[in-house]
Amino acid sequence: MDNPGLQAGEAGNYNATNEPYTSRDGKWKDSYDPEPNAVSQMDLVDDGDENKERGNWSNKADYILSCIGYAVGLGNVWRFPYLAFENGGGAFLIPYIVMLVFAGLPIFLLETSLGQFASQGPIRIWRCLPLFQGIGYTQVIASALVGIYYNCIIAYTLFYLFSSFTSDLPWRTCDNTWNTGDCVDTNSLKNWTGNISDRVSPSEEYWDRYMLSRSAGIGEPVTVKWQLALCLLLAWIVVYFSLIKGIKSSGKVVYFTATFPYVVLLILLIRGVTLEGALEGIKFFIVPKWSQIANAKVWKDAAAQIFFSLSAAWGGLLTLASYNKFKNNTIHDALIVALTNCATSVFAGFVIFSILGHMALKLNLTVPEVAKSGFGLAFVAYPEALTLLPVSPLWAIIFFLMLFTLGLDSQFTIVETVATAICDGWPTLLRQKKWLVMLTISVCCYLLAMPCLTHAGIYHVVLIDSYAGTYPLIIVAIMECIGISYLYGLRRFCKDIAMMAGYQPNYYWQANWAFITPALLTFVLIFSFVFHEDVSYGDYTYPLWAVTLGNLILVFCAIWIPGVAIFWLIVTPGSFWERLRKVTSPTDTWGPHLPQHRDERYANMANPSAGIGAKYTPNDGTKL
């Protein structure tokens, strides 16, 4: 359904003097038109690339593995299994699959199709709808904030990985200098008569008192923990050199980082199911509790998990797809990546709960008493379970190396999203110096992460995670669906996809984009607001000033959406309705990047290489 106030492209191309922007050959153009050969090719492109200016993936496998690596992250291992266990076991798969079909897949295809069609990053892609360009800024800023703390979590995995190179894991016993009198290891548990809820495991004290050296609160004076600072430095060095040539280098690294976790998960599953008590643990994971289906919170959790698990609305999918060749079937890609992501989550559940079942048997506890989520699973419960296995250091090395590679893939795309947005903004100046952009991002993010490396660091990590990567991204996804369906025009968007895939998306996709997906995500957003709980870490409740800071982070991420819309309404010439009509129409630089891919609808398209600072002008009136 097109914009009822304006048939596609009916506005003319006028500048501040109400005169059309024209090039020497009389075609409509942006006010900024760089020389076509101004960008150095360096190593960012090769002879096989279709787009000589931006470069393309070397082959389809590079792109698919990068998408899988981006979507399949730490949350698949440490969040989904516990969510399933907590929300009805096998019954949770029903709302999970429903939300995949009606929320996850549609957003995935929408973003990858937009990015591939115009070969633009998350900010410039909104030349299709300038009023919504703030969405791109929100995505880039949210990605930058998450990139700061996410690499700190990767640094945690490196810390544990290096600590595992020993004959005896340091979190196995309570005989270390950091342990307290409350510590009870597995050997002493059989003679312990206290309440199980009061028991403190050696792995918990290793995490809290040694690795984090956690302070009592976020506001206490603290210093940087140098061991974590070195681990984070190593993590950023790995990220930088993996991205130094953009997708040309990261596309090769993912052949290891995206596939290695599956090898490890398979090894851990084979080992896990052969352990005594494994079946009991798996039962807690898969046996359905049908009564939970009627609980609205279960459906909210399923929608949120699939949405964030697929990394939708962050701008990363759009960025990865922007380096595809034009004639690529994004519909097939969406199905492959989304189904792989969901299958990985279920597979990881079997891996986790088989080991936890064995742990519960050995400690004479129930599975719910040992099951944890998030940091508690990855750095407390599972490490303790590994100490019960023969040759436990070997299993610990494998496990934390898997977590390291899982985190790296996601971090690659997070950083690439920010770098692509910057380079697309100033193409002639920065695209030939992408290595310098990557270096600047890496150094800045490393320095900005220092508060996350202090004794209060975990409080900062949880605070940013709770506010930067939740509500703003759900709002973004809702607005993407509304903007494309009702302002850009669903019919026009489907024709754009047909130019790439050879056929238009069917009514399933169209119904989701226009109605079902935004309605489901609105439900999740409202439910989350109504039942919102202030951020906490364990038993620690954040002070008011920290909660206020978190809300300011949220506002800082989301404010760009209305802010940029207001900006374009102010600077665009004409009456209010003329301005509104212009900023809800594609600009003259919107369309396929290369001339050979443009049909008659985009025949008069101007040079798409204009950067930030170029004036947006509506297209030339061609009926789309």
Side-chain angles (χ1 to χ4, degrees), residues 373-405:
S373 179
F375 294 117
L377 173 63
F379 299 112
V380 178
Y382 209 82
E384 182 178 15
L386 294 176
T387 64
L388 303 175
L389 302 179
V391 201
S392 55
L394 174 62
W395 296 109
I397 291 170
I398 293 175
F399 176 71
F400 289 112
L401 187 58
M402 178 192 71
L403 292 185
F404 175 63
T405 54

Side-chain angles (χ1 to χ4, degrees), residues 229-249:
L230 289 178
C231 289
L232 182 62
L233 178 62
L234 176 59
W236 273 113
I237 289 173
V238 172
V239 169
Y240 171 70
F241 281 103
S242 298
L243 293 173
I244 192 170
K245 295 182 181 179
I247 60 169
K248 294 300 183 183
S249 52

Side-chain angles (χ1 to χ4, degrees), residues 340-362:
T340 300
N341 174 71
C342 296
T344 303
S345 296
V346 176
F347 186 50
F350 283 94
V351 174
I352 296 299
F353 274 90
S354 63
I355 298 286
L356 292 182
H358 175 68
M359 176 182 175
L361 178 68
K362 286 289 187 179

